[in-house]
Amino acid sequence: MNRENKKRKYDRKYFRTHPCTDPFTCKVCGWPVVPAGAGTSHRNHCPNCLYSIHLDNEPGDRGSDCYGRMEPIGVWVRKNGEWVIIHRCIICGKISSNRVAADDNPARLMALAMRPFGSAAIPREDIRKITDYFSTV
Amino acid sequence: MKYRKYKRYKDHNEDYEFEDNEYRNNTQERYVKNRSKENISDSRKNCEMTECLNCGWTLPSDWKGSLPEHCPNCLSGIHRETEEGYECGGILEPVGFWVKDDDKWEIIQRCRFCGEMRTTPMNGKDNRIKVLSIASRPLSMPPFPIERIKELRGIGGRDDETEGGE
Ligand SMILES: [Zn+2]
Ligand SMILES: [Zn+2]
Ligand SMILES: [Zn+2]
Ligand SMILES: [Zn+2]
């Protein structure tokens, strides 16, 4: 175990091949994050507020010293139907993605996905025009 | 044409989907042809495009304003250079939207070849049907059964009061 800890400390690529299972407290909302219940071993975001912290340049390398908050800005559905949260660092603007975990707050997730529809950029008028168009085809 | 060795970008999941080699070679070939034609030297011109390699859109002759950064028809772009400065040449596929606090929108694009993500501002010329279809994709494929979750009834519904709140 001791040797393993040493490896973790000095091997920069350790977390690329080894899942990080340490419990941590969310720096944004204070939620205690435990690995149990996530259903995935590569969770990097808080299940309550969905924020992440900018630690990696590339996934798992712990190569960044930015430590900015990473705001969830959107969701992306992969070809296999899996949801991925897209994060953007509020300090440096880096964008990264992380698969949703089983215990992520479902209301927050849905609110994130609904965000475009509550916005003025898609006017109701447009949606009606488009639905009209499709009902006549 | 020789390329530097690509640095592949993966997220935390090992089961990432990458396009097959044939697709990659094709887009790169076309990209290289186009690039030598245009002879882009200015770095600012790096993301401008006059034709779309994804859907075949070409810049109409009556186009006004600056050249688009993404195709207004299918919202795709070309990933010319990665953050580290490597040449890529993959197609940037629209995967989602970022609604900023000032209600301005950015299109989130992901490179089909290297997986890098970037954003580009949306504008009034963009295809609205395509926008709606991308934005609604997550809603049609929820990661959990929506109707079973109590907290979700409050979002966009009116039946909260009538049910008397358990
Ligand atoms: Zn949190
Ligand atoms: Zn950052
Ligand atoms: Zn196009
Ligand atoms: Zn790329």
Side-chain angles (χ1 to χ4, degrees), chain A residues 3-35:
Chain A
R3 197 199 268 165
E4 195 74 3
N5 278 339
K6 216 168 176 182
K7 219 165 128 199
R8 277 173 66 152
K9 208 168 164 193
Y10 295 107
D11 184 3
R12 301 207 85 186
K13 290 178 184 157
Y14 183 86
F15 287 113
R16 271 197 219 176
T17 45
H18 297 74
C20 179
T21 52
D22 296 343
F24 61 95
T25 307
C26 174
K27 291 197 181 65
V28 182
C29 70
W31 189 267
V33 184
V34 287

Side-chain angles (χ1 to χ4, degrees), chain A residues 54 66 89 92:
Chain A
H54 188 186
C66 171
C89 177
C92 69

Side-chain angles (χ1 to χ4, degrees), chain A residues 42 58-59 73 75-79 83 88 95 97 99 106-107 110 114 116-117 119-122 126 130, chain B residues 7 10-13 16-17 95 97-98 103 105 110 117 119 128 132 135 138-139 141 143-144 146 149 152:
Chain A
H42 294 293
E58 275 183 58
I73 58 170
V75 287
W76 161 46
V77 185
R78 283 211 211 144
K79 278 189 200 127
W83 275 38
R88 182 180 178 278
I95 294 177
S97 58
R99 174 166 32 177
M110 287 316 284
M114 289 295 284
F117 296 93
S119 137
I122 298 185
D126 266 23
I130 291 164
Chain B
K7 214 165 140 199
K10 288 184 182 177
D11 83 351
H12 283 256
N13 321 301
Y16 229 92
E17 313 151 7
V95 293
F97 297 96
W98 170 31
D103 231 8
W105 283 40
R110 178 179 175 274
M117 284 181 161
T119 60
R128 287 303 161 105
L132 279 175
L139 300 180
M141 300 175 98
F144 37 73
I146 293 179
I149 292 167
L152 291 183

